[in-house]
Each structure stands twice: as structure tokens, then as C-alpha cells.
Amino acid sequence: MLEDLLQDDVVPVHVTASDVVYDGAIWNVRRDSFGYNGASITREYIDHPGAVAVLALDERDRVLLIKQYRHPTGLRGWEIPAGLLDVTGENAVVGAQRELAEEADVVASEWSLLTEFYTSPGGSNEAIRVYLARGVSAVAAFERTEEEADIELRWVSLDECVDAVMARRIANPILILSILAAQVARSRGWSALAPADLPWPRHPRNRNTTA
């Protein structure tokens, strides 16, 4: 039965106040007051527009990786193409296609939903969807700036990526979750994949709260 499945529960709460307490360059910090379990609770969290990522896989089961500088950690680390959903009204799949082209100079003809998750549900509403992109081909190089100006591209076998995860040589959580999800999905004949346009109730704009 559906109620016996291991799954998260959506819990609508009555939000009595909601204010932006820090208006940032990329995202904001929001303070909400709400009722829960008979108590009035106040919590602050990063109010995030959501993001998408792309695990691009070629006909040889190689994953397209990028290496990029991330200032909070001071590292140039391996990732998969990803980016914010900060274009008003942009469909998530279209955003993923845009990021793949802009960060890796690649397009794909086949798109499926691989996995989705919250990055830090105790302190952020950031939800990420990861798409599996196949039928890949190169396009003209995109002019990249700032941290993206020196992006390094590399095609790496999925098996080698799994080895790097298990040996703790890579630390990007989107990459780690995506690689392990792809490994499991491949072992099941890709039967666990979902349509790329599946509804996304976990996205911040779809949060089920009432003011």
C-alpha cells in the first residue's frame, strides 16, 4: 500500500509571519514564524530559488565532469554542470539544458529525471533536480567569465566515478548523489528513471504553506 512506502510527508503549516532579514547577492535569509505542535516557532533559513544539475552520459557510459573553483571551500573541485533556477518563469528542464550548454558546450537529445533532493533541509529550502542527459553532442563554445572562466572538462567512466566517490577523493554532494543514483539506475536497466517533466512539489515555489 502507498502509505506503507518509505517516503517523506508534506506537512502544511500556518505561517504567521515571513520576512527577509538579509537580502543577498545570490540568495536571501528569511525568518518565518509558524505554528507547529501547539507551539509558536521562529526559524531562519536560506531562501533559495532552487537549482538543476545534469549528469550527461555518452554512449561509452562516460560522465561529463567539470572542475570549477568554489570560494567558500577554496577548492577547484569536480562537479557536474549545474546552476540556479533564477530566470523568472523558466522551466526546470530548460534551465538544465541551458546550464549544460553554458558550462560544458554540450547538448543532449534524451532527458530523464534521475534524482532530486534538498541540500540542507534544516537550514535551507534549496531543492535540486538532477537530470540524466543522453544522446550528447558538442556545440559552439560558450564564453565563460569569473569562476567559470577556467572550467576544466573531462569525460570519465561511470565506474571510475563510483570508485572516486567510495575512495573519498571527491566531495561535491550533487556529484556524489548523482553518481551513486546513476550507478543504481544502470544496475536496474534504467527502469527507475522518471520523465523529465515530472511535477516538482519539493521546489521552493511549490512549498505547501499558508500565510
Side-chain angles (χ1 to χ4, degrees):
M1 299 178 63
L2 184 60
E3 59 267 25
D4 295 328
L5 294 176
L6 182 64
Q7 61 181 357
D8 298 332
D9 294 328
V10 176
V11 182
V13 297
H14 181 65
V15 177
T16 57
S18 184
D19 302 289
V20 173
V21 295
Y22 175 75
D23 186 3
I26 306 297
W27 44 67
N28 302 331
V29 175
R30 179 171 292 277
R31 178 184 294 131
D32 283 358
S33 296
F34 58 96
Y36 188 72
N37 282 341
S40 179
I41 301 172
T42 298
R43 292 290 182 267
E44 294 174 350
Y45 59 93
I46 295 173
D47 193 10
H48 197 282
V52 287
V54 184
L55 190 144
L57 197 67
D58 70 5
E59 69 282 356
R60 296 163 55 188
D61 276 1
R62 295 184 305 172
V63 179
L64 178 57
L65 302 181
I66 64 174
K67 181 178 271 188
Q68 182 176 352
Y69 175 69
R70 294 298 187 181
H71 186 69
T73 62
L75 297 176
R76 287 190 74 238
W78 288 108
E79 307 177 356
I80 55 176
L84 301 176
L85 287 173
D86 53 0
V87 177
T88 302
E90 183 178 57
N91 180 275
V93 179
V94 173
Q97 294 167 342
R98 171 177 52 81
E99 292 294 340
L100 182 61
E102 291 181 359
E103 293 193 346
D105 308 322
V106 165
V107 294
S109 60
E110 302 174 38
W111 290 81
S112 303
L113 176 58
L114 178 63
T115 190
E116 65 181 44
F117 57 95
Y118 287 115
T119 57
S120 181
S124 172
N125 64 358
E126 179 183 11
I128 291 183
R129 266 202 163 172
V130 183
Y131 296 92
L132 177 69
R134 292 178 287 187
V136 297
S137 58
V139 293
F142 188 84
E143 184 177 348
R144 292 181 276 271
T145 61
E146 299 178 339
E147 296 100 327
E148 297 180 348
D150 62 349
I151 279 180
E152 178 182 345
L153 306 177
R154 184 180 299 181
W155 288 95
V156 182
S157 74
L158 180 56
D159 291 332
E160 185 178 341
C161 291
V162 172
D163 290 342
V165 170
M166 300 310 296
R168 299 164 298 281
R169 298 197 304 270
I170 54 178
N172 181 275
I174 302 174
L175 175 59
I176 291 171
L177 281 167
S178 302
I179 290 299
L180 297 181
Q183 171 76 344
V184 173
R186 183 178 64 173
S187 73
R188 298 179 179 181
W190 304 109
S191 61
L193 298 177
D197 60 354
L198 191 74
W200 191 4
R202 291 189 178 97
H203 189 278
R205 64 172 172 251
N206 298 325
R207 291 177 66 205
N208 191 9
T209 59
T210 57

